[in-house]
Amino acid sequence: MTGTTADAATRVTKSLGDAKAWRSVNWAEAEADVRRLRQRIFKAAQDGDAKRLRNLQKLMLRSRHNTVVSIRRVTQLSQGRRTPGVDGKVALSDQDRGQLLRELEAAPRCRPVPVRRVHIPKANGKLRPLGIPTIRDRVEQARVKNALEPEWEALFEERSYGFRPGRSCHDAVGRIHTTMSRKDAKRTWVLDADLTSAFDRVNHDRLLDAIGDFPARREIQGWLTAGVMEQGRFAPTEGGTPQGGVISPLLLNITLHGMGNAAGDIDRQPIWQKTAHVTPTFVRYADDFVAMCATEEQAYTVKQRLAEWLEPRGLAFNDEKTRVVHIDEGFDFLGFHVRRFDGKLLTKPSREAVKRFKEKVTAISMEMATAKTADVIRRLNPLIKGWSTYYRGAAASKVFGDLGHWMYIRMFRWAKRRHPKKSTAWIQDNYFGAFHPHRKDNWVFGDKETGAYLVKPSWTHIVRHTVVTGAASPDDPSLVDYWAGRRNKRKLPEAHGRKVVGMAARQKGLCPLCGTDLIAGVGYEPESVREWANWFSANFRHLHKHHLIYRSRGGSDQVNNLVLIHSDCHRKHHASDHKELQEIA
């Protein structure tokens, strides 16, 4: 055998070994081990036991289970798994993931490389710069995050909601509504604020001082100063944390920790003191926040305090998006509009959110002017379902109804453009009808050939969101029962006729084999319309239907004989009998 042939054979053998090693991972055990270690770190931080805390964090950083869980999050569950860094590499196969695992175990800590700068459009038409680390750096960041995050979960303020496990933007909006909804509410003035390019301006020295002697401090410093590559040119980074890194949202939260106290909102202040002095109530979601105050003067005082607190951290207010308003005038926050009408506080989808939704639907329908009707429906349905699901916790019934009427007009125009010489009656007869099998609605847009139909926002039921209690964290071992109950009561997206979504909802979003979330973003509620839309499209591609009673043994394809599981869990479950996988279309 020649040397070249021998080398090739060695590579093939090694590749087969990498793939086999990855497929042999016991995911239920790995996830449970990481979860227990996170809880131990949280408890040590809560007890103020610094020595035990650092030892446990070192144990997490050395943990093989932490490594495999981090690789899975980055290369399988993350929406950016197909996006490479400056090295152009991704890990989309079992072989690639197994190789990455082997490399990380051999040399777990390597020098970070620069991030790849890309720009994505923002809602206001401007561009948002993102820094995309390499796949390896992203995995390293996920490993470090599992060691660092539980420590800070024990410290974070209770009304901080952005990019934290078990918390969502709906918790932030719900807390605002609870604070101001009473007719005799004392806090009727609002400082509605935003920070200018917060991710890009974080002061590195302040951040590293806050992290202290964390065992992976050197790695974090390396990621902060790795630099940026844009169009082949390198630029150093003297401030900020790349918006696109796995650990960046956590680092921003650490930088902004204490902001509520600076505004005068003391988490653990006795309730009678808050009532007597009417201190501000501060709600923050990442770099978006509101301070609810008793008077206009108090609101401006809070703004001045915060400006002084932010300056040494390298941050400042975005004057275009920062204002002081009375609740009767209303304000927008995270896509919602909060305003008091005739003494009653209502939270609705904002006008800007409705406008963006219409623009997106219009753009898709124009782009697909000559496409098949079924393809247009397949493209629009996730957007409609995602948008209505995101806003189902608000007073959105009228908005949903109005959008349904607007969409009828939009789709009528789409059909009319395809058949300009056909009459109104012909278009209504060929494109509209009672397509939904359980609704007596003759004005549903659909495709008579396939039976596919466009859902209506008004079909989504209004479901009030239950705000997370106080400073509760999933990492707190004393609150296991609370989070289990909250998970069981979680309202998942409505199926609207799609069996897969109904199965996921029936399973409370969990894989019955490994016990972890079916959908990417484990431990987090969807944070946007786009993320909710993924319930109905891309995120289900890595899931399989599993027959409880195999078809070869007389089992049926009925829903009561099916469960939804991860493709990896399914493959491992059938590894011994080589049953055929049935992947979701």
Side-chain angles (χ1 to χ4, degrees), residues 110 488 570:
C110 292
N488 290 334
H570 202 190

Side-chain angles (χ1 to χ4, degrees), residues 235-301:
T237 48
E238 300 177 354
T241 175
Q243 191 171 357
V246 174
I247 203 171
S248 294
L250 172 60
L251 297 181
L252 179 65
N253 274 334
I254 292 173
T255 301
L256 296 178
H257 174 61
M259 199 174 184
N261 288 350
D265 184 4
I266 312 299
D267 279 349
R268 293 169 178 80
Q269 185 180 20
I271 191 66
W272 65 267
Q273 289 187 15
K274 288 192 175 187
T275 304
H277 300 291
V278 195
T279 58
T281 296
F282 185 85
V283 173
R284 180 173 66 85
Y285 185 89
D287 57 342
D288 290 328
F289 55 89
V290 297
M292 293 160 279
C293 305
T295 64
E296 184 177 12
E297 292 75 18
Q298 186 183 54
Y300 279 108
T301 300

Side-chain angles (χ1 to χ4, degrees), residues 57 69 81 122 208 227 235 267 369 395 477 490 504 572-573:
Q57 288 175 326
V69 166
R81 60 188 177 275
K122 297 171 65 174
L208 292 171
D267 279 349
R490 184 169 58 178
K572 185 173 182 179
H573 182 75

